Amino acid sequence: MFSRKTKARFHTSISSSLLCLFFWVTVTLTLAGCAKKVQIIPVEEFRFTQQQVRKAALSEDAHLAAFIFEDASVSVWDINEKRELYNWHAEALDEASLHLISFSKNKAWMALTGHWSTTLINLRSGEVVGSWHFSGIDPGATASSTALPALGDSALVGMTDGTVLRLNFDNGTALQYQHNTMKVLHVGYASGDYAFSGGIDKHWFLWDLNKNEVVLEKLYKSRVTASVLDNRAQRVFISDALNTHEIVDLTSYEVVSNLQFMERFRFFRKGLFLENGDYLITTSPKSVVTLWNANSGEELASWEIKRYSSEATTHAITLNNDGDVVTLSSDGVLQSWDYRSLITHK
């Protein structure tokens, strides 16, 4: 179900200063089966806040950073200028349980999602457009993942009961999709007409949003912990909680490679394809960032983000306009990395 909560128009439910620190970070580089020590320099480091961060996010081009704090207030920053653009108190957002952030690709819109509602914000004006209440098939289900498309005219909301909602901000409708049967951990747009989702039920789906037809279904041995799709390279990285960590070609649906490492288990959360899909960078539930050869699955390098607390983890990862990888942590720390120096050692 989907219903209006505040000013929005849905009416139908139909299915700290800049630290340019040039410090050395030791990373491990794997070459021809041998571990070799190399050093890389973070291009930039900046800590936006010392408050406890509930969730952090980056726009796709790393121009904007957003934070949800423990008091449910929200802050948006211009990364290039290191300047806070907007700050909203919880009362203005009509939701104390906010825990998910999504940017549109054009940076015009931001969606903030709590247990049972999504709030849409116009980032050009700072206006809180409205908040909408929704529910899944199970009335007690809560939102567990979200995504906005390029123009921000809709939103996908994955729920704890396996439901995926498509909220359309243009025509005021909401659609329900029921492919997963348990909590949806990852949801996103593969293109304007296709979506993907992965969940605790061990399933990963790619489906047509208009026809609701599944074009690819993958079953794993455990819950899907990572789902990273690059629609330009037509590749997706899917990882479960056991020992399947594979890269799949979305044109042939064939497995390109499996990540290779010495440990029995590794867990991955975030990721990003690089160099037209030839390389993959992943993050762990803690502080480790790893670079891989996506065609062979070979581990090229691993290093740690800057930590101010033992629980620090990477909340967001993307590329900036200089071509550097940018990470944003739960400590409010942004770092950028020139990964290309590592690729030359392959």
Side-chain angles (χ1 to χ4, degrees):
M1 298 294 295
F2 188 59
S3 62
R4 186 170 68 184
K5 189 175 182 183
T6 58
K7 337 183 238 190
R9 299 180 179 176
F10 289 106
H11 53 77
T12 307
S13 176
I14 60 175
S15 12
S16 127
S17 60
L18 177 62
L19 302 175
C20 292
L21 300 180
F22 294 94
F23 64 94
W24 294 96
V25 178
T26 301
V27 299
T28 301
L29 180 69
T30 304
L31 289 173
C34 301
K36 181 180 179 180
K37 297 282 186 176
V38 299
Q39 292 177 313
I40 64 171
I41 302 173
V43 177
E44 180 183 29
E45 179 180 316
F46 180 77
R47 191 176 190 187
F48 291 93
T49 179
Q50 295 186 33
Q51 294 185 61
Q52 190 170 3
V53 174
R54 184 184 294 176
K55 189 67 176 179
L58 291 167
S59 63
E60 186 175 294
D61 60 3
H63 279 186
L64 299 177
F67 303 92
I68 300 174
F69 300 108
E70 282 303 315
D71 62 359
S73 64
V74 175
S75 178
V76 174
W77 287 69
D78 182 305
I79 292 176
N80 294 332
E81 298 182 7
K82 304 300 182 291
R83 176 173 61 92
E84 187 178 50
L85 298 175
Y86 304 112
N87 188 292
W88 300 272
H89 296 293
E91 295 79 10
L93 301 172
D94 197 33
E95 177 62 81
S97 65
L98 295 175
H99 63 288
L100 299 168
I101 311 171
S102 297
F103 283 106
S104 62
K105 186 175 182 179
N106 64 3
K107 304 186 296 296
W109 305 96
M110 179 175 68
L112 303 169
T113 300
H115 291 326
W116 298 285
S117 72
T118 288
T119 297
L120 185 67
I121 293 178
N122 185 327
L123 289 174
R124 291 171 177 160
S125 66
E127 177 192 3
V128 179
V129 178
S131 299
W132 291 267
H133 185 81
F134 50 73
S135 63
I137 300 297
D138 180 352
T142 60
S144 52
S145 54
T146 60
L148 283 180
L151 298 179
D153 56 347
S154 63
L156 293 176
V157 179
M159 306 289 289
T160 54
D161 65 352
T163 305
V164 172
L165 302 174
R166 187 187 187 188
L167 318 181
N168 192 309
F169 297 118
D170 281 341
N171 62 23
T173 61
L175 294 172
Q176 287 185 339
Y177 303 90
Q178 194 71 40
H179 301 300
N180 294 95
T181 58
M182 300 175 69
K183 183 177 181 179
V184 178
L185 297 173
H186 309 277
V187 70
Y189 288 87
S191 67
D193 297 320
Y194 291 85
F196 65 89
S197 63
I200 285 182
D201 61 357
K202 310 174 188 178
H203 282 81
W204 188 91
F205 294 95
L206 176 67
W207 77 92
D208 186 311
L209 284 165
N210 299 314
K211 301 177 181 178
N212 197 20
E213 294 178 354
V214 173
V215 297
L216 178 62
E217 178 180 357
K218 302 280 289 184
L219 176 61
Y220 295 95
K221 296 180 180 179
S222 185
R223 70 185 187 277
V224 177
T225 61
S227 180
V228 181
L229 189 143
D230 188 326
N231 55 22
R232 290 168 296 184
Q234 287 293 287
R235 286 186 169 186
V236 61
F237 168 62
I238 309 171
S239 177
D240 72 4
L242 291 177
N243 53 11
T244 302
H245 319 286
E246 62 184 17
I247 295 169
V248 179
D249 186 314
L250 291 179
T251 60
S252 65
Y253 302 146
E254 297 293 327
V255 175
V256 175
S257 64
N258 287 273
L259 301 190
Q260 306 296 319
F261 45 85
M262 296 298 294
E263 300 91 333
R264 185 177 180 184
F265 296 110
R266 278 205 203 176
F267 296 91
F268 305 100
R269 289 289 170 81
K270 302 289 183 179
L272 180 71
F273 280 100
L274 306 167
E275 306 289 328
N276 197 33
D278 288 335
Y279 297 90
L280 173 72
I281 196 163
T282 61
T283 69
S284 72
K286 291 297 184 179
S287 57
V288 177
V289 180
T290 305
L291 178 67
W292 309 84
N293 183 316
N295 296 313
S296 66
E298 177 189 9
E299 180 179 349
L300 300 178
S302 290
W303 66 94
E304 291 199 18
I305 60 171
K306 178 71 173 181
R307 292 189 297 167
Y308 288 90
S309 65
S310 59
E311 299 81 15
T313 187
T314 302
H315 276 194
I317 184 168
T318 191
L319 278 177
N320 63 20
N321 287 345
D322 293 328
D324 299 320
V325 170
V326 179
T327 57
L328 185 62
S329 77
S330 56
D331 283 339
V333 178
L334 178 139
Q335 290 178 286
S336 57
W337 309 90
D338 185 359
Y339 71 91
R340 291 153 295 198
S341 62
L342 301 176
I343 289 178
T344 61
H345 291 83
K346 64 178 180 169

